[in-house]
Amino acid sequence: MAPAGKVTGFHKEGNGWFCNAGLPSDITVVVDGIQFHLHKFPLVSKCGKIAQICEESPEKALITVLEEFPGGPDTFLIAVKFCYGLRMELTTRNIVTVYCAADYLQMTDEYGEDNLLSKSENFFHKNVLHNWKDCILALQSSDPVIARAEKLQIIRKCLSAVSMMVCTDPSLFGWPMMMYGSLQSPGGSILWNGINTGARIRSAESDWWFEDISYLSVGLFERLINTMETRGIRPEILVGAIMYYGRKYLPGLGRWKSGQSGKTRTVASFSLTPAVVDQKVLIETIEKLLPEKKGKSFCRFLLGLLRVALILGVSQMCKDSLERRIGMQLEVATLDSLLIPAYSDSDTLYDVDCMERIIHHFMSSETRITSFSPPSLDPETSPSSEPLRKVAKLIDNYIAEVASDINLKPRKIRFLAEAVPESSRPLHDGLYRALDIYFKAHPWLSEKEKEELCNIIDYQKLSIDACAHASQNARLPLRVVLQVLFFEQMQLRTALAGCLNALDTESAPAGPITIPTEMAGQILQRDGWITVVRENQVLRGDMESMRSRVGELEEEFIKIKQEMKKVTKSHSSLSSPRLVARKIGCKLIPRSTDAQPDPVDSTGPTPRASVEQARRSHHSRHRKSFSLF
């Protein structure tokens, strides 16, 4: 037997480790193909499992194989050094495997005071559970020994400590606070060495911890999220962590990243390496972790996740669940994220069948899921939104985008257009635009096929501009063009009648201006009618100015008539020569009765001529002014 004090260390030769004790080995332990040439006494005095093996096999040169030893040869070497009394170091990186190895070898206090199992347990509770970095490192290093670590409750304690640190003020991390067991007082305050601090545990809104936990394996990440959920951390915070984890290990989701807020804590000092994950398992895990919530960014992430799931070929159950989740919040989706390429052997460019299923889920969902509260992930979502109208508009835009695909069948267009009720479309302009693009990309369609597609359009719900375009569209069937012309004339007539009624109501002397509700709704529903109303208002102003001008001309004409009457009355008195001479400032020379009267200023105008000239001038001015009307 080799006294432990004379052992100076171990050295490796080829595929085996040898003890520098100067005595031949009497037991050989094989761990994962590596041979350890050791001595029975140091091992039997510390390891219950080795002692049991030696009792069952009394051979002098014993060879034993330890199957599925936790931690492998490196961890076994640490346990051997402890048995020989050599210096060995417990660190955050090896504590979990050493803890599990000590349990495997049954190195309890029964085989020696302060044995390796109790020493590992004390180090774990005092040094690991109080530090964020050490907890993360311990969790990451536990993957190779996950089953035995579960048995020793190492994983549960680490997850509990991490989740508690997430929902506690980060400034408290340096305190010597107990992160497990009796942490809270009966009133819910944080305890420090048994003293009530008065500080309350609260949920943090920062995402500083997203990067750190992203180094965990998929299984541990799933358990950590579930633990945080049981501690009451808000769903939007957990979704943010899930989205961050998914984008890190699924490169296809990078396009659907909407930006990360807050300061992300770096773990460069941790010297961690990203976990090796199976992307199919990751997608299925993320789908199970995501809550039944609604949000614009959340929906965008779901669509990106579905796109990657279709590429990787995940289980049908996972794809169906993603489509259902998207369908229940389709009104907050965006067009670009819905344009999912067809990754299978389909002839079409886009996966229209997937869109059909999403719309079906939207229409069949009786209850709408609630948004995140507070709406940190969907600031643009309004509780008063009209989901059906938004989805109808989204479908029209989607059809317009996929309509240029030459392999897209008319029945697909018809199904998408008729998937929502007719009442969800106040205007059919978007649907008309989509069909026009489809007809342009498919010139070989027959007139019957075009008419069947055009039957989904309600021509009474087309705006004036759309009707004007459709009436001159050579791609439409002739019967459809005639129907458009008929409804266009009806709309114009209704619009003009409504405008005239509104103008008559405006000109009423008493009472406020009132327009019938039905007519007002029709005017507002037609894009071009507002312009017609404005043009008629301008025309009405021109007519009013013309009327005022005519009134002024009539008054002027009446004044001229009154002046003419005065001139006519004074005509009889103008026959007296003396009065006429006095009026015109001339003196008459007395003459004999038989003398002929001298002409009065043959060059000057006569009174009659003056009157006629004045009348002609008035009439000519009146005719010149009146000709403006």
Side-chain angles (χ1 to χ4, degrees):
M1 293 182 297
K6 295 182 180 180
V7 177
T8 59
F10 291 85
H11 68 277
K12 188 175 184 181
E13 294 181 6
N15 198 35
W17 284 91
F18 295 85
C19 178
N20 301 327
L23 294 176
S25 171
D26 57 357
I27 182 172
T28 301
V29 180
V30 181
V31 177
D32 294 346
I34 304 297
Q35 297 179 358
F36 290 85
H37 302 276
L38 307 172
H39 304 88
K40 291 182 180 180
F41 178 74
L43 298 182
V44 171
S45 62
K46 295 288 185 182
C47 303
K49 187 175 184 65
I50 301 296
Q52 183 180 358
I53 293 174
C54 291
E55 289 178 2
E56 296 175 356
S57 302
E59 295 88 355
K60 291 184 177 180
L62 178 64
I63 299 177
T64 182
V65 178
L66 300 180
E67 300 289 346
E68 299 180 356
F69 186 83
D74 295 337
T75 306
F76 183 74
L77 182 60
I78 295 175
V80 168
K81 288 182 178 180
F82 179 82
C83 293
Y84 277 84
L86 298 178
R87 181 180 180 274
M88 62 90 188
E89 183 181 4
L90 293 178
T91 65
T92 305
R93 295 182 183 277
N94 66 19
I95 183 59
V96 176
T97 55
V98 171
Y99 196 166
C100 294
D103 179 71
Y104 179 91
L105 294 172
Q106 301 176 17
M107 301 177 70
T108 62
D109 290 347
E110 181 182 352
Y111 294 90
E113 187 179 355
D114 197 17
N115 208 345
L116 184 58
L117 183 61
S118 59
K119 186 180 290 291
S120 300
E121 183 178 3
N122 291 335
F123 182 89
F124 175 74
H125 286 94
K126 293 180 179 180
N127 297 91
V128 175
L129 293 182
H130 293 285
N131 188 280
W132 169 267
K133 179 187 72 172
D134 293 340
C135 278
I136 298 296
L137 288 172
L139 283 172
Q140 191 188 40
S141 62
S142 65
D143 282 323
V145 293
I146 190 71
R148 191 166 292 272
E150 287 282 2
K151 173 188 172 184
L152 297 173
Q153 298 187 355
I154 296 174
I155 304 299
R156 182 188 65 81
K157 293 176 181 179
C158 284
L159 293 176
S160 178
V162 169
S163 60
M164 182 61 68
M165 292 178 188
V166 167
C167 61
T168 308
D169 192 339
S171 63
L172 302 178
F173 289 173
W175 291 14
M177 54 189 296
M178 191 174 181
M179 299 308 298
Y180 64 98
S182 180
L183 172 66
Q184 290 180 259
S185 67
S189 300
I190 300 174
L191 298 181
W192 174 63
N193 290 346
I195 303 173
N196 191 341
T197 63
R200 294 285 178 174
I201 296 177
R202 59 181 178 84
S203 295
E205 297 183 8
S206 175
D207 59 356
W208 59 268
W209 48 278
F210 288 2
E211 175 68 14
D212 293 3
I213 67 172
S214 68
Y215 285 87
L216 301 178
S217 63
V218 177
L220 289 176
F221 179 82
E222 179 182 8
R223 292 192 55 183
L224 178 59
I225 294 298
N226 291 331
T227 304
M228 291 180 176
E229 185 179 5
T230 58
R231 290 195 174 274
I233 297 180
R234 294 203 308 270
E236 63 269 20
I237 302 297
L238 298 180
V239 167
I242 297 170
M243 293 168 66
Y244 190 97
Y245 190 89
R247 290 183 180 122
K248 182 170 184 175
Y249 295 103
L250 298 172
L253 292 177
R255 176 184 173 189
W256 313 105
K257 185 176 181 180
S258 59
Q260 297 290 338
S261 60
K263 296 182 179 179
T264 303
R265 176 175 175 176
T266 177
V267 291
S269 60
F270 288 18
S271 299
L272 289 176
T273 56
V276 179
V277 300
D278 186 338
Q279 292 185 333
K280 288 185 180 181
V281 175
L282 174 59
I283 292 178
E284 294 174 356
T285 302
I286 289 177
E287 187 278 323
K288 291 187 294 184
L289 290 177
L290 292 174
E292 294 285 346
K293 292 288 184 178
K294 178 173 67 175
K296 193 168 185 179
S297 299
F298 184 50
C299 182
R300 188 176 181 85
F301 175 78
L302 287 174
L303 283 163
L305 201 64
L306 176 61
R307 183 185 298 250
V308 178
L310 294 174
I311 296 175
L312 297 178
V314 300
S315 64
Q316 188 62 39
M317 182 181 299
C318 179
K319 289 188 289 187
D320 293 341
S321 179
L322 287 173
E323 291 174 354
R324 179 187 60 83
R325 288 172 178 269
I326 296 168
M328 295 180 68
Q329 51 186 310
L330 184 58
E331 69 273 14
V332 298
T334 56
L335 177 61
D336 61 331
S337 57
L338 286 172
L339 295 173
I340 302 176
Y343 299 106
S344 60
D345 297 332
S346 176
D347 295 332
T348 57
L349 181 61
Y350 295 101
D351 196 343
V352 182
D353 295 334
C354 179
M355 183 63 179
E356 290 181 6
R357 294 191 294 269
I358 291 175
I359 298 174
H360 173 73
H361 288 303
F362 172 79
M363 296 303 300
S364 60
S365 57
E366 298 180 357
T367 58
R368 302 296 177 192
I369 54 180
T370 58
S371 300
F372 288 102
S373 179
S376 59
L377 296 181
D378 51 326
E380 300 181 13
T381 302
S382 170
S384 61
S385 60
E386 300 176 352
L388 270 177
R389 288 177 179 248
K390 290 184 177 181
V391 171
K393 185 177 180 181
L394 194 63
I395 291 175
D396 293 347
N397 293 332
Y398 180 85
I399 297 175
E401 288 293 330
V402 303
S404 57
D405 186 1
I406 59 175
N407 294 322
L408 189 62
K409 303 301 181 184
R411 59 183 179 83
K412 295 289 185 181
I413 297 290
R414 189 178 186 91
F415 178 85
L416 290 174
E418 295 179 342
V420 293
E422 185 179 355
S423 59
S424 61
R425 289 187 178 92
L427 281 178
H428 279 211
D429 288 10
L431 196 56
Y432 165 72
R433 171 178 169 269
L435 291 184
D436 184 48
I437 296 175
Y438 185 74
F439 292 157
K440 186 177 181 180
H442 301 75
W444 56 83
L445 291 177
S446 63
E447 292 292 310
K448 182 179 179 181
E449 290 176 325
K450 290 184 178 180
E451 289 182 0
E452 289 178 353
L453 285 177
C454 289
N455 287 337
I456 63 180
I457 299 178
D458 186 355
Y459 303 105
Q460 299 186 61
K461 291 186 177 182
L462 290 179
S463 65
I464 297 290
D465 295 335
C467 286
H469 185 277
S471 62
Q472 301 177 5
N473 193 345
R475 290 184 287 271
L476 296 180
L478 181 59
R479 185 180 66 85
V480 173
V481 174
L482 292 177
Q483 292 181 3
V484 171
L485 288 172
F486 172 75
F487 287 111
E488 182 183 16
Q489 294 298 322
M490 290 184 60
Q491 290 179 5
L492 287 173
R493 186 177 302 174
T494 305
L496 292 175
C499 293
L500 293 177
N501 291 337
L503 292 175
D504 291 343
T505 308
E506 260 185 20
S507 60
I513 299 175
T514 57
I515 302 177
T517 305
E518 182 179 358
M519 183 189 69
Q522 292 177 353
I523 293 176
L524 291 176
Q525 290 178 3
R526 304 300 189 268
D527 296 339
W529 287 16
I530 297 177
T531 305
V532 174
V533 172
R534 292 174 179 172
E535 291 177 355
N536 280 276
Q537 289 178 349
V538 174
L539 180 61
R540 180 182 177 279
D542 294 340
M543 292 176 64
E544 289 293 335
S545 62
M546 185 63 70
R547 288 176 183 174
S548 62
R549 178 59 179 163
V550 171
E552 292 176 359
L553 292 175
E554 289 178 351
E555 292 178 358
E556 186 176 356
F557 181 71
I558 291 173
K559 291 179 181 179
I560 293 174
K561 288 178 66 176
Q562 292 175 355
E563 291 179 2
M564 292 299 298
K565 287 180 181 180
K566 292 179 182 179
V567 173
T568 305
K569 289 180 181 180
S570 62
H571 177 66
S572 58
S573 60
L574 289 175
S575 60
S576 173
R578 294 185 180 275
L579 184 56
V580 172
R582 191 179 298 114
K583 293 287 186 182
I584 64 176
C586 299
K587 293 183 179 180
L588 296 178
I589 301 172
R591 58 184 179 84
S592 57
T593 57
D594 56 349
Q596 296 294 331
D598 295 333
V600 180
D601 194 5
S602 61
T603 60
T606 62
R608 180 69 176 179
S610 301
V611 173
E612 292 297 334
Q613 184 178 0
R615 181 179 301 174
R616 282 195 301 270
S617 66
H618 283 296
H619 279 285
S620 64
R621 184 175 62 180
H622 175 71
R623 283 196 301 270
K624 184 177 180 182
S625 301
F626 196 76
S627 63
L628 295 174
F629 179 67

